[in-house]
């Protein structure tokens, strides 16, 4: 078994890297330690790089299509990793997960319709709704026993005849929850009763820890499968976000045709050669690398959790069930979000994500990306201790 080195530091400055090279644009300083943008600082796996290099040797990059091997890689990965039997005719393309969500909202609702979001949540969800003139209905999550869960009473109280869609983050970002079958059944029952379609962002579905199990929404029941769209990608799992190769899985044929009509209008369904090559290589050869990477990430989380308990006990860390994004409660410091971010940047010189951007419930929280070499993470924690301790 090949041993992968996740301690290796790969210099990313000077590569037009958003995470590292855009610091001055966003934060007016280059001298910052970036643990914000949700990509990893680990080297993209060799089997993906080799596949891209091999294709690049051909030296013609004309119009292309996705072969059966592409679809088989997705089908086999879903069966192997999630025990989900899907069919080729359910699979379609999206330039990215957020693009897929936006296309779905545009396809399955009309201006003025209500779309439910459940903050604090991945902040592009808000643009997917408001940016195309839909009415955003907030159904904030609630914390029970230290983790988020759905507030179903609040949800039921806000649904009306114009409520058409619910955007689900599964697993949850920024909280790192893996929704249980019981939670998903309760949520989907309400949506089925009210004829609300669910658009499920499952981009973090491969990044699951400690005996938790990701449940693809469409596996809840056949009725749910016919009432949902699943959006997935290898981008977070294998650090290939720049290749913009995502897919959507829609078991309902009519809904799939409608979605493809939307992306077809803009001729957005073709994708790019290297994105497809990367996806196929990732889902064909990625199991061993992923298992080692998950072990490394879990140790990184343990380092963060232990550090906060001993060095910064006023910070409460939400238990991590999935993702490489850790949600930390700084509310005990009594600072509003703008003041908290200003203090963080000026005194710790570390860039984390502002919890306020994730909507209701995010004030006073920060999100840290632990998908980096442990030495980098330790340096960030030391800076936080110096600033907040």
């Amino acid at each position: 078994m090949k041993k992968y080195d996740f301690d290796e530091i790969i210099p990313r400055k000077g590569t037009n890297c958003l995470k590292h090279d855009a610091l001055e644009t966003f934060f007016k300083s280059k001298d910052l330690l970036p643990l914000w943008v949700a990509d990893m600082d680990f080297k993209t796996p060799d089997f993906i790089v080799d596949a891209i290099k091999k294709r690049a040797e051909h030296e013609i990059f004309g119009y292309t299509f996705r072969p059966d091997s592409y679809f088989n890689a997705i089908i086999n990965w879903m069966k192997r990793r999630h025990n989900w039997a899907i069919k080729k005719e359910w699979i379609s393309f999206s330039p990215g997960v957020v693009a897929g969500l936006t296309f779905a909202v545009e396809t399955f609702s009309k201006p003025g319709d209500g779309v439910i979001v459940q903050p604090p949540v991945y902040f592009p969800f808000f643009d997917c709704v408001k940016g195309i003139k839909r009415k955003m209905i907030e159904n904030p999550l609630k914390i029970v026993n230290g983790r988020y869960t759905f507030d179903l009473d609040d949800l039921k109280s806000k649904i009306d005849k114009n409520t058409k869609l619910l955007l689900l983050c599964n697993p949850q970002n920024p909280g790192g929850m893996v929704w249980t079958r019981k939670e998903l059944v309760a949520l989907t029952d309400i949506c089925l009763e009210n004829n609300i379609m669910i658009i499920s962002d499952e981009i973090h579905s491969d990044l699951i820890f400690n005996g938790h199990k990701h449940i693809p929404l469409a596996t809840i029941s056949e009725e749910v499968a016919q009432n949902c769209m699943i959006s997935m990608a290898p981008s977070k799992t294998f650090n290939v976000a720049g290749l913009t190769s995502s897919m959507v899985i829609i078991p309902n044929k009519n809904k799939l045709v409608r979605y493809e009509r939307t992306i077809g209008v803009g001729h957005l369904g073709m994708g790019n050669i290297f994105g497809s090559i990367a996806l196929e290589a990732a889902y064909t050869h990625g199991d061993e690398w992923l298992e080692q990477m998950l072990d490394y990430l879990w140790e990184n989380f343990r380092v963060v959790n232990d550090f906060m308990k001993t060095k910064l006990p006023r910070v409460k860390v939400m238990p991590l069930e999935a993702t490489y994004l850790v949600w930390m409660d700084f509310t005990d410091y009594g600072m509003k979000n703008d003041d908290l971010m200003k203090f963080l940047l000026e005194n710790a010189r570390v860039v984390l994500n502002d919890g306020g951007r994730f909507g209701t419930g995010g004030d006073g929280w920060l999100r840290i990306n632990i998908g980096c070499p442990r030495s980098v993470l330790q340096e960030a924690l030391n800076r936080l201790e110096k600033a907040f301790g």
Side-chain angles (χ1 to χ4, degrees):
M1 183 178 73
K2 180 173 181 177
K3 174 70 174 175
Y4 291 96
D5 182 10
F6 298 100
D7 286 317
E8 182 182 3
I9 294 178
I10 311 295
R12 298 185 68 185
K13 289 184 178 179
T15 63
N16 298 322
C17 164
L18 180 65
K19 186 176 186 177
H20 291 259
D21 289 331
L23 290 172
E24 190 168 21
T25 300
F26 285 95
F27 304 106
K28 313 305 179 189
S29 176
K30 295 179 181 179
D31 182 28
L32 299 167
L33 190 59
L35 284 82
W36 59 308
V37 174
D39 63 14
M40 298 185 288
D41 289 326
F42 304 138
K43 185 184 294 184
T44 300
D46 53 352
F47 46 87
I48 295 177
V49 175
D50 291 345
I52 290 173
K53 286 180 177 178
K54 182 178 179 180
R55 178 61 183 85
E57 288 174 358
H58 184 267
E59 299 179 344
I60 294 179
F61 312 120
Y63 293 120
T64 188
F65 64 91
R66 288 174 283 277
D68 284 343
S69 56
Y70 167 94
F71 294 99
N72 289 337
I74 296 172
I75 291 167
N76 293 335
W77 182 263
M78 295 305 160
K79 183 63 176 177
R80 210 161 62 240
R81 303 299 301 190
H82 304 299
N83 195 31
W84 184 21
I86 67 172
K87 298 178 181 179
K88 176 183 176 181
E89 55 265 30
W90 298 356
I91 303 169
S92 189
F93 174 78
S94 171
V97 165
V98 174
L101 299 178
T102 306
F103 295 148
V105 173
E106 186 173 7
T107 301
F108 302 115
S109 67
K110 62 182 185 297
D113 283 345
V115 181
I116 300 161
V117 296
Q118 298 173 307
V121 72
Y122 181 48
F123 43 82
F125 275 32
F126 308 132
D127 291 333
C128 292
V129 179
K130 295 187 292 185
I132 53 174
K133 295 181 170 54
R134 272 53 171 178
K135 177 185 175 184
M136 189 168 73
I137 301 170
E138 286 200 14
N139 169 225
L141 301 172
K142 59 182 181 180
I143 297 177
V144 178
N145 297 325
R147 72 186 289 278
Y148 287 122
T149 190
F150 302 125
D151 189 337
L152 300 179
D153 290 333
D154 178 77
L155 174 62
K156 287 184 281 189
S157 74
K158 291 178 175 175
I159 293 171
D160 62 28
K161 61 182 176 60
N162 294 317
T163 307
K164 302 301 182 183
L165 301 173
L166 182 145
L167 299 185
L168 176 66
C169 200
N170 175 36
Q172 211 275 340
N173 169 20
M177 306 327 20
V178 177
W179 301 120
T180 66
R181 179 170 291 276
K182 181 178 179 181
E183 287 173 316
L184 291 174
V185 167
L187 181 71
T188 55
D189 281 351
I190 293 171
C191 290
L192 289 171
E193 288 167 10
N194 291 278
N195 197 30
I196 296 169
M197 182 179 174
I198 302 178
I199 313 299
S200 185
D201 170 6
E202 304 193 7
I203 194 171
H204 293 283
S205 57
D206 297 317
L207 304 169
I208 309 294
F209 301 110
N210 281 1
H212 295 283
K213 178 175 174 54
H214 172 68
I215 300 171
L217 189 71
T219 64
I220 295 296
S221 69
E222 178 59 25
E223 197 174 8
V224 171
Q226 294 300 313
N227 190 52
C228 73
M229 182 187 100
I230 311 295
S231 190
M232 289 178 158
S235 53
K236 302 298 183 190
T237 310
F238 295 99
N239 211 25
V240 290
L243 295 176
T244 58
S245 184
S246 305
M247 70 277 189
V248 301
I249 302 172
I250 309 176
N252 181 288
K253 183 177 180 179
N254 176 264
K255 288 180 169 63
L256 178 70
V257 169
R258 291 174 62 191
Y259 169 84
E260 291 196 325
R261 188 178 299 132
T262 299
I263 66 170
V265 168
H267 290 258
L268 296 170
M270 185 170 289
N272 70 81
I273 294 171
F274 297 113
S276 297
I277 292 289
L279 181 147
E280 185 175 333
Y283 287 161
T284 303
H285 305 292
D287 297 82
E288 182 181 299
W289 183 89
L290 177 56
E291 292 302 327
Q292 292 183 34
M293 195 267 291
L294 288 173
D295 288 343
Y296 192 91
L297 286 178
W298 180 252
E299 181 61 20
N300 272 4
F301 173 70
R302 191 195 63 78
V303 167
V304 171
N305 200 37
D306 291 350
F307 187 94
M308 293 304 177
K309 285 180 179 178
T310 57
K311 304 292 187 180
L312 293 174
R314 294 173 67 182
V315 178
K316 301 298 184 291
V317 178
M318 188 160 279
L320 191 66
E321 301 172 0
T323 84
Y324 50 78
L325 306 166
V326 178
W327 193 227
M328 303 185 297
D329 180 1
F330 280 74
T331 55
D332 194 50
Y333 289 92
M335 285 187 266
K336 294 182 179 179
N337 269 85
D338 289 346
D339 295 331
L340 180 60
M341 285 298 293
K342 186 172 186 289
F343 183 86
L344 174 74
L345 293 170
E346 291 180 353
N347 294 277
R349 309 298 294 167
V350 174
V351 185
L352 307 181
N353 285 107
D354 174 1
R357 292 197 67 191
F358 297 87
T360 302
D363 290 339
W365 292 70
L366 296 171
R367 191 188 76 173
I368 184 171
N369 179 348
I370 63 170
C372 61
R374 198 158 298 135
S375 59
V376 175
L377 180 61
Q378 190 64 58
E379 171 63 22
L381 294 174
N382 292 340
R383 293 188 186 191
L384 290 175
E385 182 189 10
K386 185 176 180 181
F388 287 95

